[in-house]
Amino acid sequence: MTAPTGTGPIIQALVQTLRGSTPLKAAVSGFWEGMAPRGATRPFVIYQVAYAPMFYDWTGVILTAGIDVFVIAENSVDARNIDGLVSQALHNAALNVSGQSTLICRRTADVVIPPDLDGEGKKIYQVGGTYEIWTAQSLASGG
Amino acid sequence: MTTAAKFVVQITPIDESGIYKMMQDAADSAMRTWLNKVAADAKNRAPIRKSFHQGRRRERWVTVFEHAGSVKDVSKAYSEYFGGGGDVLYRSRSQRYHQLREAVTAKREGRPARKIPARPRFRVVTAGSASKVQIRAFRPTETKAIDTRRSGWSLAGKNAVGPLLELGGGVTRGVTRGPEREAYEERRSGSYLQFDAWEQLTARGKADLTHGVDVFAAGEKNNTKPGTKPGSMSALVAGVSAMPQLGGRLKRSIAPDDTKVVGNTVTGSVTANIRYARYVEFGTHKHGAAQPFMRPALWQNKKLLAASFASDVRGQFGFAYSGTRGKRGKGK
């Protein structure tokens, strides 16, 4: 039985899909995992795996990855608009996950973090949601 | 503001007889058992807050001192050791305050404003890594140092370092020997320089500081670094490093709430009852990347809820299911 591939290919596919959305790519300065580097120009998108349990059956495994995708912006309207673009790009998207077949990719929750101040006293908005991506992969051995 | 994960179990009413009530009880009991499991798992996953230390013991104090500019943060940190919150630890005014006050007074009196000198203060700085901790004490002169101890940059800082120095019997760089030292000792014995920090410490603070001070006083004996003299700066650093971790408020705040049974629905939740729980769960641009602890705990235990419910139903109906199964299996 082969070992299952983890969330790596899912993240790769998710970023590919985000980058593939022309209006989204034009609206943000970049897509970062976890947190953006210091000095990154806002607005930008951050994403991170929140949970990824695997459910095995006799022949394979179903991976359920919950990925938080947030838009960080200096303007609440921008933040929400870009969040809309992210949602358009990801909700029900057919992600091209290498070695796994995508079952669903859906936005399952809105997450709103209260606005915060940055080092210069500017108000920063963080708006986003959790996307649940289910993938299936076969674990049957070649022999 | 809290972060809560809410779970709902729904049961289907079978009839109006006692069975329905038994199902309700089973669902309630199963939910309670399961919530405890989820809360325990979330506690295991919850990180120690990073803004107070970086996950290693020696960095704890360093980071606390780095936060000295932010009254709130230090207050929070020291509340662990001094109890009852840190507000009382900050009585002194800042240099900026005195400058502003002097400017206003000078303007009113029609004279040029006097320059308010920077306050001498304890300062702990990190140089590249936490292992290079320096305590720069008592500047610019020793007499000023006495004043530092009285009005200091923060009573919290004084209280933390004070007992360490006092009990360890050591000196820091800047407090010289000779007449100045004698004068310092003399003045230190004055009423206003008596450290009452020890009395203010919580039991945990006392235990931790005693341990740190033991290391400080013993020097090389308890320090892996060779050549560390008792009471020296490096022994002080070792003493500070030896103190256990501060933090864990997030972990302690995680608890299951009471379940609610309404009709055929049983609702339960696990709450992290602390302001920054959601920042840890989801991450922020300011506090760093997310370190989810609630949702992974939920997913990890998701399947157990049904098992727990089944087990409780069996219990309610008086089936010794697993026992029977075991007996059947035997001898065949």
Side-chain angles (χ1 to χ4, degrees), chain B residues 64 75 230 255:
Chain B
V64 165
S75 299

Side-chain angles (χ1 to χ4, degrees), chain A residues 123-137:
Chain A
K123 227 173 177 183
I124 305 298
Y125 295 85
Q126 180 169 346
V127 178
T130 304
Y131 293 84
E132 212 162 275
I133 299 163
W134 292 38
T135 64
Q137 53 186 307

